[in-house]
Amino acid sequence: MSEIIDLNLVELVQKIKKKELSSKEITKAFVDRSEKSKKLNVYITDNFNEAIKSAENFDSKPNFEKKLPGIPIAVKDLFCTKNLRTTAGSKILNNFVPPYESTVTQNLWDNGAILLGKLNCDEFAMGSSNETSFFGNVQSPIGENLVPGGSSGGSASALAAKLTPVTIGTDTGGSIRQPASFTGTVGLKPTYGSCSRYGIVAFASSLDQAGPMTSNVEDCALLLEVMSSYDLKDSTSVEFKRNNYLQNLNENIKGKKIGIPKEYITDKMPKEIEDLWQNGISYLKESGAEIIDLSLPNTPYALPAYYIVAPAEASSNLARYDGVKYGFRSNGENLIDMYEKTRSEGFGNEVKRRIMIGTYVLSSGYYDAYYLKAQKVRRLIKNDFDEAYKKVDAILTPSTPSSAFKINEKTNDPVSMYLNDIFTVPINLAGLPAISIPAGLDKKGYPLGLQIIGKAFDEQNILNIAYSMQKKIKFKNVINDWWLK
Amino acid sequence: MTKHQSQYLIKKNNNEYEVVIGLEVHAQVLSNSKLFSSSPTKFGAEPNTQVSLVDAAFPGMLPVINEFCIKQAVKTGIGLNAKINKRSIFDRKNYFYPDLPQGYQISQYKNPIVGEGSVTLDLPSGEKKIGIERLHLEQDAGKSIHDLDPENTFVDLNRSGVALMEIVSKPDLRSPDEVNIYIKKLRSIMRYLGTCDGNMQEGSLRADVNVSVRKKGDKKFGTRCEIKNVNSIKFMQMAIEYEANRQSNLIENGETIDQETRLFDTKKNETRSMRSKEDAHDYRYFPDPDLLPLELGDEFIENLKKEIPELPDQKKKRFIEKFKLTPYEANILVSDIETSRYFEEVIKNSDVKLSVNWITGELFALLNEKNLEISHSPISAKNLSKLINLIKDGTISGKIAKTVFELMIETDKNPLKIIEEKSLKQQSDPKELEKIITKVITDNADKVKEYKSGKDKLLGFFVGQVMKVSGGKANPQLVNEILKKKLK
Amino acid sequence: MSIDLKTVKHISKLSRISLDDEKAKKLEKDLNSIFKFIEKLNELDTSKTEALSSIVETKLQLRKDEIKSKDIREQILKNSPSENKDFFVVPKVVE
Ligand SMILES: [Mg+2]
Ligand SMILES: [Zn+2]
């Protein structure tokens, strides 16, 4: 029998239901491995003792009707958790203990899950390598001094390193899919409006969406089912019929029309990524899907538009961190001095950079040229997808333009860092669902992912396509536990 | 009165300056809970006890809009004869201040819920229409308290997030008096609608006052200054006077006026520039991504139209036509919804003319003296109506009625009971009256002689004597008739 | 278009983040490279395009006018940097 930590979520749920494993045994296994994995720096705040107590509680009064019965889960530290410190990876929230719970995490606990701890992430989710966290960078289990991607880097690392059976992240421009791609895991960004944003520390409100990060597509379907809910506390939450995604998972994709957008083929694209994409196309064909070439002409403008919209919203969302109500305060000679010092010392460089960009593009005289223009481009990008979906059921692209890079490799060049999200950002701008699944390894042995983009609220469809591809790809993540040695 | 006579002009040397005023009135929406959160809006609670996680802008907290506040804004828009915009957008107005927990105020910038409308003022010179530019919904800020501690400012967020309607007028007002009448009219309309209680002491109604001056006859507006957050009509008027003077002085001295925001110092009775050394405000408005555009259906608006009561202007018209009131009387009686209700209750069973006189005379004097709202009147409409009927049918004289009125204040008793208890009923029996009159004539033989020799004015003396003897109860009309007969 | 040091300092004031000269210079360089990248949008003619106001196509949900929250002053003030039990406290604001 394989070890507990090697079991996926669906298997763990089955074993608990069959009483082959107790919640405490499972929880202890992940806690033990987490304790030994400090080198990865994935936890900002752990909840290990409480988790074991909760597991004991579960075992004494087990409820096997729940979808996640007694399953321990660590979550990105962007989700507010009642009475447990929530930092968003920032010094400015270093000591913040929310008296409330985010809707998405509440959904997990309501379904029987147990909180293992809070996972490292880029500060306020601003980053693509988890190097902007106040709590230090995260190591990837794939290799030493390799970034796990970001901003849900702690989540991706913890999952790939088997410190948690599944995890949840947030995705504003690729923050779930890019780290999933870098760590050989599955990550899904749901349609905007699918998962409630209530209680999630906001980065860019019109783009932020929480989603599942798992080791396979079945787990992803189950976790999404639990996370997604209509929430009256979030005005952008959408009421639609949410599927039992796992139960409805279906590998038969015969006759499905899959689009291949030519604009995703870039000059600088490494050969191995092109090959990977081609393999994906072959698998789809083998499964009876129809491949259709298409054009999303405004794709090249997505990233520049994103770097206006996201910082603009962030500059306003982060205005509440002013040292008055909660969090870090630096004493100043007067009010303005207090504000300026608090925010200067409390925020890291990347966050400050983005606040400045956002403030600039909204400021008097520049609003039309930047912010308004970007919102128009956003309309064009959405129109591109609307047109495409008249012809196809889903779209296949690579998840990232490269595999994982070394820590510090890109920290001095913000633009090169931003380019990481070139394939993921258009999806956030259009509010669509997309999943990244591991599809192979590059020459260095680093994982690479493929992205399947769906129509709005058509998560079941992309899960099904991913499920079918997963069976063909038979990806095996190579984790040699280097950090334990 | 001609238009010219009512004009408010500032005279400087050989020039006359006209003042041009526009108001941005902030009216607190009457609602149980706040605009974007479900905490209470009650006035005067302990500090920070009416604050939710949303109001204090905790991380991850989101606004959810109050339907009733939207209805209140639409109703007010209808009351201002304004265009209701079926699609409006909430924007963020970004600035840092301790009593603004989000670091931005949710307001409406380019697409307000209500567009252009108008308010009609009754001026001594006639009616005048004041244009309404727009009405939009926004959140109120909290309160900064600067005088509780020598080194610190304390912040109370109870008000944070309370719904406000900002009603922006066109620059159509021309004097402090017009501002007074405009505010009162606006308040009256909102009270009729039940959308704002207009309580200025509690800050439910405040205004930013935009003032500029120009030489009489000029077509172009001068540079304006905005006087922020003035919370009483008196202060608005004082601030305008001060500012009109200041600006015309500047022009006289060949100086220019800076467009700036100023505050009115109520202790020194002057306005002061508020511009700090910091750069001018740049609010960086943009649509709030936490909210969707607000779309109102035709049915939603039509249903609200059905809820609109008769408003002051219509009521005034009806009072004039139906009850033959003068415009002046009608104005007084409709200006406040409670007064109009009281009036209509009284005249249900009573003479209109007498009712108008008694309400605007004795009752208003009483309320004024006791500083009471008509809704708290010590004399109910029902009992006042009875009193008026007793005068009308001759049971008591107008003079006795005043005595009865005084007695009613303490207890609000049925006037008929008071009359009986105190035997104040009018003496209208001719036989009884004749007895008294005969006695008076006998007792004043010399005066009778004088009267008969042509001193008609003495009739009043005889009446007075009769009244005195009767203890004021004699029916004056009858006394007159009988006296004249007897003295012939 | 390029962003000069004066603009950087102005934005830093607006965003209430103090910057020393060295940081300001570094930021000037970063912002210029980012905005050079953003300028790509100028290639697009958007004169006939309507700006997107929301990606969500449903109607704004309206809440009933009910008081649901209770007095949570203690919780609200617990995370604040000051010890005061009734108020948030900031350095004196002079008006
Ligand atoms: Mg104003
Ligand atoms: Zn306002």
PDB file of all heavy atoms in Angstrom, chain B residues 24 26 93 166 208-210 226 228-229 261, ligand 1:
ATOM      1  N   GLU B  24     -24.352  72.230  -3.354  1.00  0.00           N
ATOM      2  CA  GLU B  24     -24.277  70.767  -3.374  1.00  0.00           C
ATOM      3  C   GLU B  24     -24.780  70.322  -2.008  1.00  0.00           C
ATOM      4  O   GLU B  24     -24.052  70.378  -1.033  1.00  0.00           O
ATOM      5  CB  GLU B  24     -22.832  70.300  -3.572  1.00  0.00           C
ATOM      6  CG  GLU B  24     -22.232  70.724  -4.904  1.00  0.00           C
ATOM      7  CD  GLU B  24     -20.715  70.618  -4.936  1.00  0.00           C
ATOM      8  OE1 GLU B  24     -20.148  69.794  -4.184  1.00  0.00           O
ATOM      9  OE2 GLU B  24     -20.093  71.374  -5.693  1.00  0.00           O
ATOM     10  N   HIS B  26     -25.936  67.766   0.760  1.00  0.00           N
ATOM     11  CA  HIS B  26     -25.812  66.368   1.164  1.00  0.00           C
ATOM     12  C   HIS B  26     -26.962  66.036   2.094  1.00  0.00           C
ATOM     13  O   HIS B  26     -27.027  66.543   3.206  1.00  0.00           O
ATOM     14  CB  HIS B  26     -24.484  66.127   1.877  1.00  0.00           C
ATOM     15  CG  HIS B  26     -23.324  66.055   0.942  1.00  0.00           C
ATOM     16  ND1 HIS B  26     -22.502  67.116   0.709  1.00  0.00           N
ATOM     17  CD2 HIS B  26     -22.873  65.054   0.162  1.00  0.00           C
ATOM     18  CE1 HIS B  26     -21.576  66.770  -0.171  1.00  0.00           C
ATOM     19  NE2 HIS B  26     -21.772  65.516  -0.521  1.00  0.00           N
ATOM     20  N   LYS B  93     -14.051  57.371  -5.297  1.00  0.00           N
ATOM     21  CA  LYS B  93     -13.373  58.659  -5.211  1.00  0.00           C
ATOM     22  C   LYS B  93     -12.237  58.459  -4.209  1.00  0.00           C
ATOM     23  O   LYS B  93     -12.479  58.249  -3.021  1.00  0.00           O
ATOM     24  CB  LYS B  93     -14.382  59.700  -4.702  1.00  0.00           C
ATOM     25  CG  LYS B  93     -13.842  61.087  -4.521  1.00  0.00           C
ATOM     26  CD  LYS B  93     -14.955  61.995  -3.975  1.00  0.00           C
ATOM     27  CE  LYS B  93     -14.479  63.418  -3.824  1.00  0.00           C
ATOM     28  NZ  LYS B  93     -15.556  64.303  -3.329  1.00  0.00           N
ATOM     29  N   GLU B 166     -26.454  63.370  -2.793  1.00  0.00           N
ATOM     30  CA  GLU B 166     -25.879  64.679  -3.074  1.00  0.00           C
ATOM     31  C   GLU B 166     -26.706  65.316  -4.173  1.00  0.00           C
ATOM     32  O   GLU B 166     -26.800  64.800  -5.285  1.00  0.00           O
ATOM     33  CB  GLU B 166     -24.402  64.584  -3.487  1.00  0.00           C
ATOM     34  CG  GLU B 166     -23.838  65.982  -3.765  1.00  0.00           C
ATOM     35  CD  GLU B 166     -22.327  66.045  -3.956  1.00  0.00           C
ATOM     36  OE1 GLU B 166     -21.610  65.211  -3.383  1.00  0.00           O
ATOM     37  OE2 GLU B 166     -21.880  66.947  -4.689  1.00  0.00           O
ATOM     38  N   ASP B 208     -22.329  72.056   0.491  1.00  0.00           N
ATOM     39  CA  ASP B 208     -21.159  72.767  -0.004  1.00  0.00           C
ATOM     40  C   ASP B 208     -21.720  73.926  -0.816  1.00  0.00           C
ATOM     41  O   ASP B 208     -22.586  73.717  -1.662  1.00  0.00           O
ATOM     42  CB  ASP B 208     -20.320  71.875  -0.924  1.00  0.00           C
ATOM     43  CG  ASP B 208     -19.785  70.635  -0.201  1.00  0.00           C
ATOM     44  OD1 ASP B 208     -19.755  70.644   1.043  1.00  0.00           O
ATOM     45  OD2 ASP B 208     -19.402  69.667  -0.889  1.00  0.00           O
ATOM     46  N   VAL B 209     -21.233  75.128  -0.517  1.00  0.00           N
ATOM     47  CA  VAL B 209     -21.803  76.315  -1.147  1.00  0.00           C
ATOM     48  C   VAL B 209     -20.805  76.889  -2.151  1.00  0.00           C
ATOM     49  O   VAL B 209     -19.681  77.244  -1.777  1.00  0.00           O
ATOM     50  CB  VAL B 209     -22.137  77.379  -0.072  1.00  0.00           C
ATOM     51  CG1 VAL B 209     -22.865  78.554  -0.698  1.00  0.00           C
ATOM     52  CG2 VAL B 209     -22.980  76.760   1.045  1.00  0.00           C
ATOM     53  N   ASN B 210     -21.186  76.939  -3.406  1.00  0.00           N
ATOM     54  CA  ASN B 210     -20.325  77.510  -4.437  1.00  0.00           C
ATOM     55  C   ASN B 210     -20.727  78.952  -4.679  1.00  0.00           C
ATOM     56  O   ASN B 210     -21.875  79.236  -5.014  1.00  0.00           O
ATOM     57  CB  ASN B 210     -20.462  76.718  -5.738  1.00  0.00           C
ATOM     58  CG  ASN B 210     -19.805  75.359  -5.624  1.00  0.00           C
ATOM     59  OD1 ASN B 210     -18.585  75.266  -5.593  1.00  0.00           O
ATOM     60  ND2 ASN B 210     -20.618  74.313  -5.518  1.00  0.00           N
ATOM     61  N   GLU B 226     -15.585  77.154  -3.339  1.00  0.00           N
ATOM     62  CA  GLU B 226     -16.509  76.211  -2.734  1.00  0.00           C
ATOM     63  C   GLU B 226     -16.322  76.234  -1.226  1.00  0.00           C
ATOM     64  O   GLU B 226     -15.230  75.954  -0.740  1.00  0.00           O
ATOM     65  CB  GLU B 226     -16.248  74.800  -3.289  1.00  0.00           C
ATOM     66  CG  GLU B 226     -17.209  73.760  -2.721  1.00  0.00           C
ATOM     67  CD  GLU B 226     -16.956  72.356  -3.267  1.00  0.00           C
ATOM     68  OE1 GLU B 226     -16.061  72.200  -4.111  1.00  0.00           O
ATOM     69  OE2 GLU B 226     -17.648  71.422  -2.815  1.00  0.00           O
ATOM     70  N   LYS B 228     -17.016  74.448   2.039  1.00  0.00           N
ATOM     71  CA  LYS B 228     -17.327  73.041   2.322  1.00  0.00           C
ATOM     72  C   LYS B 228     -18.220  72.857   3.541  1.00  0.00           C
ATOM     73  O   LYS B 228     -18.023  73.526   4.569  1.00  0.00           O
ATOM     74  CB  LYS B 228     -16.019  72.278   2.593  1.00  0.00           C
ATOM     75  CG  LYS B 228     -15.262  71.923   1.331  1.00  0.00           C
ATOM     76  CD  LYS B 228     -15.699  70.562   0.847  1.00  0.00           C
ATOM     77  CE  LYS B 228     -15.074  70.235  -0.499  1.00  0.00           C
ATOM     78  NZ  LYS B 228     -15.851  69.282  -1.252  1.00  0.00           N
ATOM     79  N   ASN B 229     -19.145  71.923   3.417  1.00  0.00           N
ATOM     80  CA  ASN B 229     -19.793  71.325   4.575  1.00  0.00           C
ATOM     81  C   ASN B 229     -20.372  72.310   5.589  1.00  0.00           C
ATOM     82  O   ASN B 229     -20.035  72.257   6.766  1.00  0.00           O
ATOM     83  CB  ASN B 229     -18.770  70.426   5.272  1.00  0.00           C
ATOM     84  CG  ASN B 229     -19.430  69.151   5.767  1.00  0.00           C
ATOM     85  OD1 ASN B 229     -20.543  68.815   5.345  1.00  0.00           O
ATOM     86  ND2 ASN B 229     -18.757  68.445   6.654  1.00  0.00           N
ATOM     87  N   THR B 261     -11.209  75.510  -2.433  1.00  0.00           N
ATOM     88  CA  THR B 261     -12.199  75.149  -1.426  1.00  0.00           C
ATOM     89  C   THR B 261     -11.869  75.918  -0.150  1.00  0.00           C
ATOM     90  O   THR B 261     -10.711  76.082   0.215  1.00  0.00           O
ATOM     91  CB  THR B 261     -12.191  73.639  -1.124  1.00  0.00           C
ATOM     92  OG1 THR B 261     -10.843  73.228  -0.941  1.00  0.00           O
ATOM     93  CG2 THR B 261     -12.785  72.854  -2.257  1.00  0.00           C
TER      94      THR B 261
HETATM   95 MG    MG D   1     -18.574  69.238  -3.111  1.00  0.00          MG
END
